[in-house]
Amino acid sequence: MSAFAPNDRVLISPRHLAGGGIDRLSDVIGPLIHLFDWQQRHDAATGHIVLDSPDRSVQLDVNSAESGGAWWHITHHDPYWAVEFTRQTPIEAVAAVARSLPQLLGDQRHADGIPLTSRTLTEIAVLNNWTVSPDGSTFASRDEHCTLRHMPEAEVAWSAQHSVHDESDTQWNVSFTRDAPEVLVAQFFTHLSTHTPVERTYRDIPRLVRDMDEALITPVRGAAVNPRVHHVAAQIGRIHSARRR
């Protein structure tokens, strides 16, 4: 029996197991609207949202009514490139890409508060204990449930896949077409692979993940210390136990 009720707020790591966190939709679209003056079109009946950059060169399309396929679409018109995320992609990684878009278009407002990573993909992987293939084209999480692959000659040059035992509620996919700026891939990977936990309602964590040894889930309320400090302490304790074994 779980120690958590369905509505309990919890912290979970690693992030790739956390599920979408779609209740934090405003973390993606809010900064673009309120800080960078992107225009919003919203269909209240379906929940479909479209944001356009001020110069109309980039569009963010959010279609949460889509039963399958991608929920998030980012398209740049000239030159054409696209980024897509399916439903269960952790929203923190989606938001990291979306918040980077204004700087790519030359809008440097709030750049101090939305830093772009200067690390390479390999550096990000090593920092967060992901494995790197000998040719540097594939990065894998320690539990091997999540991979990021680079195929520079393909139309989809970068792709990320995640699944746990082929269960549909744990599967998600991300794609970056060939001309997508690599800094967007780096932003996505930085905010996906970090050890920092993310907050979810317990019921929103994919069902199969909740009892996995690889997933660390700790309470937001009721901890004797700050919830994030408590989670970090649990992470350290888990590492030490694994080393002893």
Side-chain angles (χ1 to χ4, degrees), residues 2 27 35 135 140 157 185 242:
S2 171
D27 291 351
L35 299 180
D135 64 358
V185 184

Side-chain angles (χ1 to χ4, degrees), residues 17 20 48 115 129 148 157 169 227:
L17 292 172
H48 188 193
N129 303 118
L148 175 67
D169 70 339

Side-chain angles (χ1 to χ4, degrees), residues 7 16 20 24 30 36 51 65 69 76 78 105-106 119 131 134 136 179 212 219 229-230 235 238 244:
N7 291 329
H16 60 82
R24 303 179 74 99
F36 299 104
L51 302 184
H76 184 276
D78 187 19
L105 300 178
R119 292 190 173 99
T131 61
D179 291 327
M212 289 179 62
V229 173
H230 175 64
Q235 285 176 324
R238 173 174 288 190
R244 285 198 298 269

Side-chain angles (χ1 to χ4, degrees), residues 1-223:
M1 182 176 177
S2 171
F4 300 104
N7 291 329
D8 284 349
R9 299 298 292 184
V10 297
L11 295 176
I12 177 171
S13 64
R15 288 188 176 191
H16 60 82
L17 292 172
I22 197 64
D23 62 328
R24 303 179 74 99
L25 172 66
S26 62
D27 291 351
V28 179
I29 66 174
L32 296 178
I33 296 170
H34 301 299
L35 299 180
F36 299 104
D37 307 315
W38 286 41
Q39 296 301 305
Q40 175 185 205
R41 287 171 279 150
H42 179 211
D43 185 335
T46 64
H48 188 193
I49 300 170
V50 177
L51 302 184
D52 291 296
S53 62
D55 65 0
R56 302 289 177 176
S57 66
V58 177
Q59 185 175 90
L60 171 62
D61 187 304
V62 187
N63 189 3
S64 59
E66 180 68 39
S67 59
W71 275 31
W72 310 85
H73 306 260
I74 297 172
T75 52
H76 184 276
H77 301 306
D78 187 19
Y80 175 80
W81 51 261
V83 184
E84 294 186 344
F85 310 87
T86 58
R87 179 177 67 89
Q88 287 285 37
T89 308
I91 203 164
E92 294 78 10
V94 178
V97 173
R99 294 174 185 178
S100 304
L101 297 172
Q103 290 186 60
L104 294 184
L105 300 178
D107 188 341
Q108 298 302 315
R109 290 178 295 172
H110 312 290
D112 289 345
I114 307 175
L116 301 183
T117 184
S118 59
R119 292 190 173 99
T120 67
L121 275 295
T122 297
E123 289 171 338
I124 296 167
V126 171
L127 179 66
N128 293 292
N129 303 118
W130 282 46
T131 61
V132 184
S133 65
D135 64 358
S137 67
T138 303
F139 310 91
S141 60
R142 285 180 292 176
D143 58 17
E144 299 184 344
H145 292 307
C146 191
T147 57
L148 175 67
R149 292 187 174 91
H150 188 207
M151 298 173 289
E153 302 306 318
E155 178 58 29
V156 174
W158 288 93
S159 61
Q161 295 84 31
H162 179 271
S163 67
V164 176
H165 307 313
D166 298 322
E167 288 281 336
S168 60
D169 70 339
T170 69
Q171 293 175 352
W172 53 263
N173 298 277
V174 177
S175 63
F176 297 80
T177 60
R178 185 186 304 139
D179 291 327
E182 191 164 314
V183 67
L184 294 182
V185 184
Q187 287 294 102
F188 166 79
F189 192 35
T190 296
H191 288 263
L192 175 72
S193 62
T194 176
H195 300 295
T196 304
V198 293
E199 186 173 326
R200 294 286 185 269
T201 300
Y202 184 70
R203 67 170 179 270
D204 291 335
I205 297 173
R207 175 187 54 79
L208 194 63
V209 168
R210 298 172 195 168
D211 297 320
M212 289 179 62
D213 290 339
E214 294 92 338
L216 178 60
I217 303 173
T218 59
V220 168
R221 295 184 178 89

